[in-house]
Every structure is written in C-alpha cells, then in structure tokens.
Amino acid sequence: MNIPQTSFPRVVIVGGGFAGLAVAKGLEEQELQVVLIDKHNYHTFQPLLYQVATGGLEPDSIAFPLRKRFNDVENFYFRLAEVVNVNADKNTIETSIGTLEYDELIIATGSTTNFFGNTNIEKYAMEMKSVPQALNIRSLVLENFEEALLEKDLEKRHALMNFVIVGGGPTGVELAGALAEMKKGILPKDYPDLDIRQMKINLIQSSGELLKGMSSKASEKAEDFLIKLGVDVWKNLRVLNYDGETVTTNGEDHFNAQTVIWAAGVKGETVNGLQAECLVERANRFKVDMYNKVVGYENIYAVGDIACMQTEVYKYGHPMMAQPAIQQGTLLAKNILAKFKGKKQKEFVYNDKGSMATIGRNKAVVDLPKWKFQGVFAWFVWMFVHLFSLIGFRNKVIVFMNWVYNYIRFDRETRLIIRPYKKKDKYSFEEN
Amino acid sequence: MNIPQTSFPRVVIVGGGFAGLAVAKGLEEQELQVVLIDKHNYHTFQPLLYQVATGGLEPDSIAFPLRKRFNDVENFYFRLAEVVNVNADKNTIETSIGTLEYDELIIATGSTTNFFGNTNIEKYAMEMKSVPQALNIRSLVLENFEEALLEKDLEKRHALMNFVIVGGGPTGVELAGALAEMKKGILPKDYPDLDIRQMKINLIQSSGELLKGMSSKASEKAEDFLIKLGVDVWKNLRVLNYDGETVTTNGEDHFNAQTVIWAAGVKGETVNGLQAECLVERANRFKVDMYNKVVGYENIYAVGDIACMQTEVYKYGHPMMAQPAIQQGTLLAKNILAKFKGKKQKEFVYNDKGSMATIGRNKAVVDLPKWKFQGVFAWFVWMFVHLFSLIGFRNKVIVFMNWVYNYIRFDRETRLIIRPYKKKDKYSFEEN
C-alpha cells in the first residue's frame, strides 16, 4: 500500500461516509498516522441522492473528493481500495491493493440495501445508496418515458409509466414526492403526446404509517402532502415479490410496473474476519460498547450505520442515519486521542436533534425535540439544514443555485440519459 | 414511431448538435411538422468537453435536454433513436425504433473520431467526442494516479503518469493545457507522496505548427504558453501505433504511456443508404451544393460537420467546427421555408468570425478577422464567448460559478471517479 512506517501509531479508517469523515476530522494534526480507505474517491451526501435520481441536481454537486478534504493534513493517507478481510490477531487488514497493519482500526463502512434475502427483488428492483445507482434510476425513468411514447399496447404503456417505491421512510417519501413533482411540472411538457394521467406513483409501506420514527403529526402530514401531489399511498401492504414485470403483495393489489425502487431497508455493510458473535443479526451490524468498541476486541471500532450500540432507548441500536454517525465519529476521535494520552474516555450519548423530510415544493415536515411543524417554513428549514451540511463550498453554491433555479422556474433540468441503463446491466458494472 | 400524419409537410432532422439545433430553431412555429432524432436526449456543448475530462466542470452543465429546448413548440417531435438506413427512393428512414416517412430529410449527424484505419489505436486510445467519453478520460486520469501511488516499479509508474495527446488542434491544445494546470495546482496536493515531476504531458502534432488554420502568431503563442506550463510539444512527429503500452512514431522518440488521447482527426458520422458518389472520401463527408443539398437528391440535405461544401476558399469543405454548422443550419432552415413558399433560396457564404483556443488560466489565443491577440484579455474573451454560446440559463450560471470558483481557488473540484473506467471496457458500453 506504500504507506510509510513512522513512530506514530497508525489509525486505519475504513469508509469515508459521515462517520468515517467525522473520525478523520477529529484526528487531524495529532501525533498519529491516519489512513482513510474508501472504494470511492469521494464522499457521497446520501440525503440528496433522490434529487440526483429525479434530475434536480447534478451528481457532482453532492459528491466531494476525499483527497481534497485532507489536502493539507500531515500524516494523512487516502487509499482507494476495498477491504477484503480483517486479521484481528495480526492487527492487519487485507484490501484489494494489499495488506496493511493497524494500531487502531475503525470500521465505518456504512450500510447497503437490504432485500431481506429476496433475490428476485434484488435482481429486478433499483436501489439508491450510491451516486451511480441514483444515476441509473435517472436514466431508467427517462428511458421508460421514451419507450412509453412508442408503445401502442396500453397495458405495456401503463407498466412503463407505473412507478412503485417500496418503503415509506424518508428515502421513499422524498423520492415519491420528487417523482410526483416531475409528473406535475416537467413530464407533461417533455412528453406532450403522452397522456400523463397514465403515470402512477405508488408508495408502499408495510406498516400503518409513513416516516416511522417521526411524530404522528409529521407522518400524517407527509401522507397528506403526497396524496395531494397525486401519489397513491399504500399502507399496511407488504411486497412479496417482483419478477421484473409484476409486484405481488400480501394484499389483493398487485402492480404491473417496469420500475420498482426498493427503499424498504438497509443493512450494515460488514467486513469479513471478525468473530461471528459480534454480528447482530438484525440489520447486520457489529455490536459495540458505549465507546463504539466492537465487543471482544480492544482496538477495533465500528461507527455509524455499521455499529449497533444497544441502549435503554435504542434497543436495536441507533437509527441508521447521518446524525448518529457524525456524533459517534466525533466522539470516537476524541476517545482515541484520550486513550493514547491515558485520559478517561467518554460514553456515547445520542443527542437527537430531530428529523425532517421534504415531500416537495414548499412541503416538508420537521420534528425538533420541542417543536414539530410542517409546510413552507419546514421546507425552508429542510433546505437550509441540508445546504449547510453539504461538504465543500463549491457544492453548496452549485446546489443552492440549482434550488433557486428549480424553485423559480418550476424545473429540474438535469434530465439527461448520460449512461443508458438496461435492467440486464445491473450486475455488469464493477460498481453499481 | 407514433408520430401523427398531418397535412403539414414533415421535416426530419437527424442529430441535435449545433447544426441540427440551428435548423430546428429556424423551423419553429411554421406550417411544418418537425421531427428531431438523436441518439442522446441532450445536446452536447462539445467545445467544453475537455473541461469535463479534467475535472473543471460537471458533465450536466454542458449538456442540455433536447426535449426541454422545444417544450412549447407546436408540431415538434423529438425521438431518441439511431438511424439505421435512408431509403431515398421511398422517402423513408429506418431507425432503431421504426421507420419514418419524410418530405425533407436533414442529416446533421456530426462527426466522430477518425483513427485513419488504425485499429490498435482505436482499441487502446481514448477519444473525446461525447460526454461519456470525457467522463471516461476523467476516471482514467484519476485511476492512473491512484495506481501510480502504489507502483514500486519506476518504469511502470512513469507510464502511469505519462500522458500522450495526439493532435495539436484546439482539442489537443486545450486538453494539454488543462492537464498541465492539474499537474501544477491540484495533483501535487492530492498526491503529496508522488513525485509530480514524474508526470509528463506530451502533445504530438504531425505538422510543423499547432492550431493549424489559426494565425502563426496564435500558433506560436499557444506553443509558448504550453511549454511554460510544462507540456512537451512534439512537432513534425507522426504517431504510427499504440499497443496499449508504447506509442511508436516515425521519429526516434517513442512513449511508454498508459493514457493516450487521440485528438488527431475527425470524420463524418455518415448514415447508410445514400449513393456512394455523394461520399467525399476525405473526412467521410457528404458532398453538398451551395444550399447544403446532398448532390443527386432533391430533398436530402447534409449540414455541419457531415457536409462537405467545396468552394474556392474551402476546397475540402468548411472546417468541422461549431460556427459553420450553426451558420449552415440557420440558412438551411430559411431555404427550406423559402422552398415551400416558392421563394428564391440563398447560397451559403461562410462568415468566419474568427477562432480561439484557451491554454490555461489567463492564457488564450484569439484570431478575429481584423485583430489577433493573445493572453489575459484573449482568455476573458474566450470565456465570455463560450459562456454566451452555452444553451440554457441554468447551464450558463453553473458554468460561470464553476469558473469563478476555479479561478479564485486555483481548483478543479469535480475530480470524481463516478464510473471507474477500465481499458477493456471500451467496447462494453452501448454508448461510449
């Protein structure tokens, strides 16, 4: 891997998402050597992937080059690689570009789509956890419309214009809202010779409420917003299968749809080599103590989505979202420094600053600890918070300009099919 | 193709580049049905592709959705398709999505990379005529640096950091300049553990001057700028072969390089079905009369790069650039309207407004008919003209913001490997 041996202890961080980045930032300019490993050369701002998928933002504006973030940091090394195995007894990791010794290992590999073992759905449905995946959705939506235009068979045309989003969490809700806005403002103009009423957006949620984990007010209002935008919301309906043509459910309804987006679950993106006992079956996460230390190891930590820290309040670990990841990462960096200095480490306490989701233009729901509100103001709060959280000044400016433009012009202009997507291609890319 | 038959004559335009777009614009809101066919759903602003390839601009900012451009135009139809064949005797074209009758057919298919029959070079060298191709270059450059970092064999590392650009026209010059600026300002910061002096940028030109067709002052100054930026300029050197490892030439020099970008020629992207006599062998263009009518046909036109209009001054047809394409397209639209109205048509006269090329920050060369200048002012003129020529307000704003940012911060921030490129993949994409 061509990383020099120095007298400083080496901290290896696997993953440059919210958690990994927070750890790396906290360890800057210390008497440590920090190695950050990621399979991408950029950090992905996942909360805005749905806007890339629906033509509202260019992919490059929500991705930030990891090397640039640490340009002037001493004793910092970035390596573009995938981890193959951890050899905990030797204190090494094997990667796609070689083996590396570590003194402290931080696993921040995040999460991936959870198909709950349904290989059919995995094969035919779209997922949206990375920039290339979001671009695949963007291409497919537009390709479907081009095809629908030519399709004389009414059933087939309906299927091309039928969108099924499985999962009523923030991702599903935001994506459904964005598609509904495309249906309202953009697609009728782009495809004047199609009857846009034939376009259906179905949001399917297995439980009785959307945005589980938010307040019931937020949940109800989000549903209300979606219905007003023309989304068909199906609650208490569980998807059983999708064969590339038809979505079958545990109810009497089934859906003939060429596009199914699976946003119904995530699971930890584990690394091989740790003892089986560390793995919590539910959501496939590594069990950690209150210091994010993986149980049974002294110098291996898991942080963010991949970590399952079970507490009184969070019996199954913290929510797999940006906030716990950032907070855990920030504290873990401090605790590692404390460890080296022989100082006392601090237990993690999650400070839930609240949750929010946007449904569309002027429509969002925000739950703060002491105040819950919905509508226009919530929407501005949502935008401000997301803009502020983006990494990089250029990205902030470009996203802001796009939002202003989209707001004023009722538009989403990056509706481009740069790399056409074919269903059979799903596994032909090295990296989806 | 699902396009209604109306009482209006049908004009079919193949290609939404500069020429095709100019024709389509000129035929808006007339008593005609206009069908625009393109294999992409967007117009590509090719003059800025090199900035996408070198991380200075996001791809989406130089692409504009074709459907949007004609959103409110009546009797206008866009179809995403490739033309397979023209049946001139039946007045139909066969496409990937079916057959279509035309009254007037306008071929504006542009040009593609000309490898002059060298299949080795075609197989191993990169080209840069489309957005996906520019993104492939962006990925490859960055992947090479990641690999160089790990490479202990000095010769191999040199080859990974050795860039050969073949062709000293505007594309080659601009790309060499942009790479040189990456070498100067960005790569040393991103890869502090690499010796950046090992990076070489070679620009190879077969004749004795760069920017052939521009003034000798422009040519000399461009070379001067490039050399100052650290580019090795090789004139009077002809590339004979590239086997994926070594570029051989007709001189004593050869180059071991992992990245070769072929910008040494273009040829017309012809369509099948027209009489062989129409095809001018040189550059593979269709021979047209002074009205852009393909010789031997009454209702088939070729316009832009694909058209070879031989005049006293332009013995081999006009330069294959945006300006003649736009001017021909604009006049052709007028002439078609005149034809339908029984009015007199006008012969095309090319109004050469001048040429320009940028080499880097504050460095450009501009030849106007009456004034030739180089340097900072030329650079601002170059930027203003390109910004002004971009299609779409959003694109103008985003490009402008990026340029301001890049200028102030000496940066190029979209150095992202979104879809990794592998040499063997060159032909695995439907569309490169």
Side-chain angles (χ1 to χ4, degrees):
Chain A
M1 280 192 137
N2 208 4
I3 292 171
Q5 286 284 2
T6 64
S7 56
F8 294 140
R10 180 183 290 159
V11 180
V12 175
I13 304 167
V14 184
F18 289 112
L21 220 50
V23 179
K25 275 187 211 172
L27 297 179
E28 275 178 25
E29 309 293 353
Q30 300 292 332
E31 296 194 330
L32 291 171
Q33 184 187 66
V34 178
V35 181
L36 175 63
I37 295 175
D38 199 293
K39 61 182 173 177
H40 297 292
N41 77 337
Y42 53 89
H43 165 82
T44 303
F45 191 74
Q46 292 189 345
L48 291 177
L49 280 175
Y50 80 97
Q51 297 212 4
V52 172
T54 50
L57 287 176
E58 45 272 79
D60 300 20
S61 66
I62 66 156
F64 189 83
L66 284 168
R67 287 195 175 279
K68 178 175 164 66
R69 173 61 189 79
F70 299 96
N71 261 346
D72 303 315
V73 181
E74 298 233 358
N75 292 318
F76 177 90
Y77 297 85
F78 173 79
R79 288 296 179 268
L80 185 66
E82 283 195 71
V83 172
V84 178
N85 201 50
V86 178
N87 301 313
D89 46 340
K90 292 189 205 153
N91 283 337
T92 62
I93 55 167
E94 291 165 41
T95 77
S96 52
I97 59 170
T99 300
L100 186 70
E101 280 177 56
Y102 60 82
D103 293 295
E104 310 283 328
L105 175 65
I106 290 147
I107 302 170
T109 41
S111 57
T112 180
T113 308
N114 193 350
F115 294 99
F116 301 103
N118 191 318
T119 49
N120 263 346
I121 297 178
E122 183 168 356
K123 188 167 172 192
Y124 294 113
M126 309 294 289
E127 43 188 319
M128 198 180 69
K129 287 287 288 177
S130 71
V131 171
Q133 286 170 351
L135 288 172
N136 285 345
I137 294 176
R138 181 174 94 175
S139 288
L140 183 62
V141 170
L142 297 167
E143 288 168 70
N144 280 347
F145 269 83
E146 294 294 339
E147 210 180 321
L149 208 56
L150 310 171
E151 184 55 67
K152 282 176 185 142
D153 182 303
L154 189 62
E155 284 223 3
K156 285 186 187 162
R157 199 191 314 141
H158 280 168
L160 285 164
M161 295 169 77
N162 198 12
F163 295 83
V164 174
I165 299 163
V166 189
T171 305
V173 165
E174 297 188 323
L175 194 58
L179 274 176
E181 296 216 312
M182 283 186 87
K183 176 181 175 180
K184 205 172 145 195
I186 289 152
L187 296 169
K189 281 195 215 153
D190 268 10
Y191 301 92
D193 27 3
L194 269 181
D195 185 345
I196 204 71
R197 291 172 303 181
Q198 294 173 350
M199 177 180 182
K200 300 284 176 207
I201 302 154
N202 300 285
L203 180 65
I204 302 179
Q205 165 67 1
S206 58
S207 73
E209 50 173 14
L210 302 179
L211 300 176
K212 229 168 90 180
M214 288 189 72
S215 65
S216 58
K217 188 77 194 285
S219 163
E220 282 159 27
K221 197 74 190 175
E223 187 176 343
D224 189 40
F225 284 147
L226 284 171
I227 291 170
K228 278 198 185 124
L229 276 169
V231 174
D232 289 329
V233 179
W234 306 82
K235 294 186 296 187
N236 297 309
L237 191 66
R238 188 179 291 275
V239 168
L240 299 179
N241 206 356
Y242 176 51
D243 61 3
E245 303 286 336
T246 306
V247 177
T248 48
T249 68
N250 66 346
E252 59 175 3
D253 296 288
H254 66 276
F255 304 83
N256 293 323
Q258 284 299 308
T259 311
V260 174
I261 299 158
W262 186 259
V266 292
K267 61 178 180 184
E269 178 88 279
T270 51
V271 295
N272 293 324
L274 298 195
Q275 296 157 25
E277 299 87 69
C278 309
L279 205 64
V280 180
E281 206 170 305
R282 193 186 160 104
N284 210 41
R285 303 162 92 181
F286 288 126
K287 200 171 178 176
V288 297
D289 67 10
M290 299 303 289
Y291 307 92
N292 280 95
K293 201 144 59 72
V294 178
V295 292
Y297 296 95
E298 275 313 301
N299 59 347
I300 302 182
Y301 308 82
V303 60
D305 283 6
I306 186 66
C308 182
M309 184 190 286
Q310 292 169 308
T311 67
E312 279 286 302
V313 186
Y314 300 97
K315 293 213 174 84
Y316 302 108
H318 295 91
M320 294 164 87
M321 288 163 62
Q323 263 196 74
I326 295 168
Q327 292 180 24
Q328 285 181 359
T330 306
L331 180 65
L332 179 55
K334 285 183 189 154
N335 279 339
I336 286 178
L337 294 177
K339 180 179 173 181
F340 283 117
K341 288 174 187 160
K343 289 187 186 162
K344 200 172 174 310
Q345 301 191 23
K346 249 178 86 178
E347 290 196 352
F348 179 72
V349 180
Y350 178 42
N351 172 19
D352 187 353
K353 293 180 187 164
S355 319
M356 49 182 77
T358 186
I359 293 93
R361 187 182 183 80
N362 294 335
K363 294 179 189 70
V365 294
V366 174
D367 283 359
L368 299 184
K370 295 190 178 176
W371 186 30
K372 303 179 196 326
F373 52 104
Q374 303 87 30
V376 182
F377 181 65
W379 188 70
F380 277 99
V381 170
W382 180 92
M383 284 209 297
F384 179 78
V385 167
H386 281 77
L387 206 57
F388 194 78
S389 313
L390 262 173
I391 295 175
F393 178 72
R394 192 200 74 98
N395 285 2
K396 284 187 173 70
V397 172
I398 300 292
V399 168
F400 179 69
M401 297 306 305
N402 274 293
W403 284 349
V404 169
Y405 179 86
N406 294 350
Y407 190 75
I408 295 174
R409 303 278 287 251
F410 288 81
D411 210 343
R412 286 160 176 268
E413 213 170 80
T414 67
R415 40 193 196 273
L416 312 165
I417 308 171
I418 301 265
R419 309 266 198 196
Y421 177 79
K422 291 198 171 53
K423 290 202 172 185
K424 65 173 167 54
D425 284 353
K426 184 160 180 185
Y427 294 101
S428 77
F429 284 113
E430 185 84 354
E431 164 60 39
N432 264 289
Chain B
M1 280 191 138
N2 209 3
I3 291 170
Q5 285 286 359
T6 64
S7 57
F8 294 140
R10 179 184 289 158
V11 181
V12 174
I13 304 167
V14 183
F18 289 114
L21 220 51
V23 180
K25 274 189 214 171
L27 298 180
E28 275 178 25
E29 309 294 353
Q30 301 290 333
E31 297 193 329
L32 291 171
Q33 184 187 65
V34 177
V35 180
L36 175 63
I37 294 173
D38 199 292
K39 61 181 172 176
H40 296 292
N41 77 337
Y42 53 88
H43 165 83
T44 303
F45 191 76
Q46 292 189 345
L48 291 177
L49 279 175
Y50 80 96
Q51 295 211 5
V52 172
T54 50
L57 287 176
E58 46 270 81
D60 299 22
S61 67
I62 66 157
F64 190 82
L66 285 168
R67 289 196 173 275
K68 179 176 164 64
R69 174 61 189 79
F70 298 97
N71 260 346
D72 303 314
V73 181
E74 298 232 0
N75 293 317
F76 177 91
Y77 296 85
F78 172 79
R79 287 297 178 268
L80 185 68
E82 282 196 71
V83 172
V84 179
N85 201 50
V86 177
N87 301 314
D89 46 342
K90 292 190 206 154
N91 283 336
T92 62
I93 55 166
E94 291 164 42
T95 78
S96 52
I97 58 168
T99 300
L100 186 70
E101 280 178 54
Y102 60 81
D103 293 295
E104 311 283 328
L105 175 65
I106 291 146
I107 301 169
T109 41
S111 57
T112 181
T113 309
N114 195 351
F115 293 100
F116 303 103
N118 190 319
T119 49
N120 263 346
I121 296 178
E122 184 170 356
K123 189 166 170 192
Y124 294 112
M126 308 296 288
E127 40 187 322
M128 198 182 66
K129 289 287 288 177
S130 71
V131 172
Q133 286 169 354
L135 288 173
N136 285 345
I137 294 175
R138 182 174 92 174
S139 289
L140 183 62
V141 170
L142 297 168
E143 287 168 69
N144 281 347
F145 269 84
E146 295 293 338
E147 210 180 320
L149 207 55
L150 309 171
E151 184 57 66
K152 281 176 186 144
D153 182 302
L154 189 64
E155 284 224 3
K156 285 185 187 163
R157 197 193 314 142
H158 280 168
L160 285 164
M161 295 171 75
N162 199 12
F163 295 83
V164 174
I165 299 163
V166 190
T171 305
V173 165
E174 297 188 323
L175 194 57
L179 274 177
E181 295 216 315
M182 282 185 88
K183 175 179 175 180
K184 206 172 143 195
I186 289 153
L187 296 169
K189 280 194 216 156
D190 269 9
Y191 301 91
D193 27 3
L194 269 180
D195 185 345
I196 204 69
R197 292 171 303 182
Q198 294 174 350
M199 177 181 183
K200 300 283 174 205
I201 302 154
N202 300 286
L203 180 65
I204 303 180
Q205 164 67 1
S206 58
S207 74
E209 51 174 12
L210 302 180
L211 299 176
K212 228 168 92 181
M214 288 189 72
S215 64
S216 57
K217 188 77 194 286
S219 161
E220 284 159 26
K221 197 74 190 175
E223 186 176 343
D224 189 40
F225 284 146
L226 284 171
I227 291 169
K228 278 196 186 128
L229 276 169
V231 174
D232 290 328
V233 179
W234 304 83
K235 294 186 296 186
N236 297 311
L237 191 65
R238 189 178 289 277
V239 168
L240 299 179
N241 205 357
Y242 176 51
D243 61 3
E245 303 286 337
T246 306
V247 176
T248 50
T249 68
N250 66 347
E252 58 177 1
D253 296 288
H254 66 276
F255 304 84
N256 293 324
Q258 283 300 307
T259 310
V260 174
I261 298 158
W262 186 261
V266 291
K267 62 178 179 184
E269 178 89 279
T270 51
V271 295
N272 293 324
L274 298 194
Q275 297 157 24
E277 298 87 67
C278 309
L279 205 65
V280 180
E281 204 170 308
R282 192 186 162 105
N284 209 41
R285 303 161 91 182
F286 288 126
K287 201 171 178 175
V288 297
D289 67 9
M290 299 302 289
Y291 306 92
N292 278 95
K293 200 143 60 71
V294 178
V295 292
Y297 296 95
E298 276 313 302
N299 59 346
I300 301 181
Y301 308 82
V303 61
D305 283 5
I306 186 65
C308 182
M309 184 189 286
Q310 291 170 307
T311 68
E312 279 286 302
V313 187
Y314 300 98
K315 292 212 173 87
Y316 304 107
H318 296 92
M320 294 165 87
M321 287 163 63
Q323 263 195 75
I326 295 168
Q327 292 180 25
Q328 285 182 359
T330 308
L331 180 66
L332 178 55
K334 285 184 188 153
N335 279 339
I336 284 177
L337 293 176
K339 181 179 172 182
F340 283 117
K341 289 174 185 159
K343 288 187 185 160
K344 200 171 175 309
Q345 301 191 23
K346 250 179 86 177
E347 289 196 353
F348 179 72
V349 180
Y350 178 43
N351 171 18
D352 186 354
K353 293 181 187 164
S355 321
M356 49 183 78
T358 185
I359 294 92
R361 186 186 183 79
N362 294 336
K363 295 180 187 69
V365 294
V366 174
D367 283 359
L368 299 184
K370 295 192 176 174
W371 188 29
K372 305 183 195 323
F373 52 104
Q374 303 87 28
V376 182
F377 181 64
W379 189 70
F380 278 98
V381 169
W382 180 94
M383 282 210 296
F384 179 78
V385 167
H386 282 76
L387 206 56
F388 194 79
S389 313
L390 262 174
I391 295 175
F393 178 71
R394 191 199 74 97
N395 285 1
K396 285 186 172 71
V397 172
I398 300 293
V399 168
F400 180 69
M401 295 307 304
N402 273 295
W403 283 350
V404 169
Y405 179 86
N406 295 349
Y407 190 75
I408 294 173
R409 303 276 287 251
F410 290 79
D411 210 340
R412 289 161 176 266
E413 213 170 81
T414 68
R415 40 193 196 272
L416 312 165
I417 308 173
I418 301 264
R419 309 266 198 196
Y421 177 80
K422 291 200 171 50
K423 289 202 172 185
K424 66 174 167 53
D425 285 353
K426 185 161 180 184
Y427 293 101
S428 77
F429 285 112
E430 186 84 350
E431 163 60 39
N432 264 287

